[in-house]
Amino acid sequence: MSEGLNYEFLVDAFFVALSGAPIALVITFVALLIAVPLGFLGALTRINQIPVLNHVAQIYVSFVRGTPVIVQIFIVYSSVPLLMSTLFAKFNIEADIYKVNPIWYAFIVFSLYTTATLIEVFRSALSIVSKGQLEAALSVGLTNVQAFRRIIIPQALVVALPNICTATTNLIKATSLGYAMSLQEITLKAKVAANVGYNYVEAYIDIFLVYLIICSLVEYGFKWYEKRLITYKTANA
């Protein structure tokens, strides 16, 4: 093994790692698309103390937030194919579940992971808005949906946005564990490139840089939107 960093490989591997960014971003986008409405509904069940559903949501959040993401990946990645193959055999469905693109398992894992986080984010944000505002909105003829869309959600969103930003960046970083499902994302591509010359230090530096750039851009976007949202709210107060 050569001494010092291989700067030529460092530069080349950076673009190799960067080529895996679209997969990480697609997983992030789909997971958020699924997790945001589920997280909001889960938060409502906890705030309103809906029987059974409230306890289910509480247990679900505790389980997901209390276990490592890598363990959740292995559980889903091993149990879902086994369950599906059993069902296919029972109903005589001819399909090889083991040839399914692993990105579908990534969608499941990271959606479940993010939903648990957003349930608590939305619950905290919605709790800040007083119930009197909802009652006042209903008293003037607004429906529940209209009251939430026009009054409750805009106020809660201002409070929740920093935490949503944190959840999003954590989700992006968590996609680095997609290598465990053989996903051609940032980490796996860089590590495969490093296998030839054992340039793992350079590969991990490149992985670090790619995630740092992506997460910094996401944080900047959220901060820009947060400032705009606060300005809009102040102007219309």
Side-chain angles (χ1 to χ4, degrees), residues 19-68:
S19 68
I23 294 294
L25 293 176
V26 166
I27 294 171
T28 301
F29 176 77
V30 173
L32 286 173
L33 198 64
I34 296 171
V36 167
L38 290 179
F40 185 76
L41 291 175
L44 289 179
T45 62
R46 296 210 60 193
I47 290 174
N48 295 311
Q49 298 289 309
I50 298 176
V52 182
L53 291 179
N54 176 43
H55 293 293
V56 170
Q58 190 173 5
I59 293 170
Y60 167 71
V61 170
S62 298
F63 172 77
V64 174
R65 297 181 69 181
T67 56

Side-chain angles (χ1 to χ4, degrees), residues 176-195:
S176 63
L177 298 173
Y179 75 88
M181 295 180 282
S182 301
L183 279 174
Q184 294 295 317
E185 43 71 59
I186 298 167
T187 303
L188 183 59
K189 286 203 168 190
K191 289 177 70 174
V192 169
N195 287 341

Side-chain angles (χ1 to χ4, degrees), residues 164-211:
I164 295 174
C165 175
T166 301
T168 302
T169 54
N170 286 341
L171 173 58
I172 293 172
K173 290 182 286 186
T175 61
S176 63
L177 298 173
Y179 75 88
M181 295 180 282
S182 301
L183 279 174
Q184 294 295 317
E185 43 71 59
I186 298 167
T187 303
L188 183 59
K189 286 203 168 190
K191 289 177 70 174
V192 169
N195 287 341
V196 178
Y198 298 99
N199 302 109
Y200 294 110
V201 174
E202 292 88 342
Y204 285 119
I205 291 174
D206 287 326
I207 293 169
F208 168 81
L209 291 174
V210 171
Y211 277 107

Side-chain angles (χ1 to χ4, degrees), residues 1 3 20-22 24 30 52 68 82 87 90 110 113 116 118 121 127-128 139 171 179 184 194 216-217:
M1 185 179 293
E3 296 181 359
V30 173
V52 182
L82 183 62
L87 290 174
K90 182 177 181 180
F110 292 114
Y113 164 75
L118 292 183
V121 169
S127 298
I128 293 176
S139 68
L171 173 58
Y179 75 88
Q184 294 295 317
S216 296
L217 290 173

